[in-house]
Amino acid sequence: LYYSRFPSESLVKFDFAMSIGFNCQSRHHLSRILRNRFGKEGEDSRNFFDWLWRDSSVDGVVAALNNNFKLDRADFCVRVKGTPQAYNPQYGFYFTHDFTFGKNELLWEEELDRQWSACKQKYEYLAVKTINALRANRATLLVLCGAMSADEAIRLFATLEEQFGMTNINLLHTPFSNQNQTSIIHPRVIARPILYKDWPGDNESWDQALTGIEILQARETEMRSVSIT
């Protein structure tokens, strides 16, 4: 049994594409490709998982989906990952781009408190956009980057199918090429390994991963009201 693959000579069209984790590379390269196609309009299509980072596994994405993207201040702490980072142990995500911390460790929780309201407002907005995108009746490509096994990619897709139906959504899994991959079939999961490289990743490798895929819209359609409480 094997991943389904798009032959490079075919052209498969999707109305929309979005990152589903586990780090910023997938969003960065989607934006790069959309910018090439749509100009500046292609830069502003951001969703909940775009700029979050997680060590490994799809557990955090699955937990966020199961918990309706809920965020509580009590679930956050500060963890040193090179530099001090806001961390959510419930989902296992580092909110790398949303908080700044000084050198005094004794002040980190106070600094987190001071910046929490803006973070919560931002991600509640992004959660609505993400839910709208997942519920939309259009051909959508989700991009999952990094150190996740084939089994985990299939498990994530099963969660998405259960919650959103998703009869017109495919998952592009871009595992790092130095991983040992288990062969599993799923008709709507596409496997395209990429070269492991530190941020922002390898442009050529990502270009190859997205070969044969055309994205027709740069951003979401008009937002609808969605409750995330």
Side-chain angles (χ1 to χ4, degrees), residues 85-217:
Q85 307 278 342
Y87 179 69
N88 183 309
Q90 181 185 21
Y91 301 146
F93 282 116
Y94 292 89
F95 286 68
T96 304
H97 304 286
D98 300 289
F99 296 88
T100 57
F101 299 98
K103 296 181 179 180
N104 188 344
E105 182 177 352
L106 297 177
L107 297 178
W108 286 350
E109 287 293 327
E110 180 181 325
E111 290 169 342
L112 202 160
D113 284 337
R114 188 166 59 248
Q115 298 170 79
W116 167 250
S117 178
C119 175
K120 181 176 175 63
Q121 183 177 5
K122 170 184 173 180
Y123 281 94
E124 284 182 344
Y125 167 76
L126 293 177
V128 171
K129 288 184 69 180
T130 303
I131 292 170
N132 282 342
L134 292 172
R135 288 180 178 172
N137 183 25
R138 61 183 173 185
T140 299
L141 179 69
L142 305 179
V143 182
L144 174 68
C145 167
M148 264 67 96
S149 68
D151 290 337
E152 289 186 293
I154 302 301
R155 179 162 63 90
L156 171 59
F157 198 84
T159 300
L160 290 162
E161 284 187 304
E162 181 180 350
Q163 291 209 15
F164 297 99
M166 309 187 71
T167 57
N168 56 352
I169 292 184
N170 286 68
L171 177 68
L172 171 63
H173 182 209
T174 57
F176 296 131
S177 56
N178 61 342
Q179 292 178 251
N180 293 321
Q181 288 297 308
T182 304
S183 296
I184 294 181
I185 196 169
H186 194 291
R188 303 209 312 275
V189 176
I190 309 151
R192 295 277 180 85
I194 58 172
L195 180 69
Y196 176 80
K197 192 174 183 180
D198 289 339
W199 170 260
D202 184 72
N203 282 8
E204 182 179 355
S205 186
W206 274 99
D207 287 344
Q208 291 173 355
L210 289 159
T211 295
I213 296 171
E214 182 177 357
I215 301 164
L216 303 177
Q217 296 176 9

Side-chain angles (χ1 to χ4, degrees), residues 36-86:
N36 289 339
R37 176 173 172 80
F38 296 102
K40 190 173 181 179
E41 184 183 5
E43 298 178 5
D44 187 30
S45 179
R46 298 192 177 132
N47 292 282
F48 190 89
F49 299 107
D50 286 351
W51 302 109
L52 302 180
W53 173 57
R54 171 178 181 85
D55 285 328
S56 62
S57 92
V58 299
D59 289 345
V61 179
V62 171
L65 292 167
N66 287 334
N67 202 31
N68 213 26
F69 299 92
K70 185 178 180 181
L71 295 176
D72 290 319
R73 167 62 182 91
D75 295 325
F76 277 71
C77 63
V78 181
R79 179 178 287 188
V80 176
K81 194 77 172 176
T83 59
Q85 307 278 342

Side-chain angles (χ1 to χ4, degrees), residues 18-37:
M18 60 183 280
S19 169
I20 199 76
F22 84 111
N23 63 25
C24 309
Q25 280 199 33
S26 47
R27 176 69 265 164
H28 171 78
H29 289 283
L30 279 175
S31 292
R32 179 175 62 84
I33 289 165
L34 289 171
R35 191 162 53 245
N36 289 339
R37 176 173 172 80

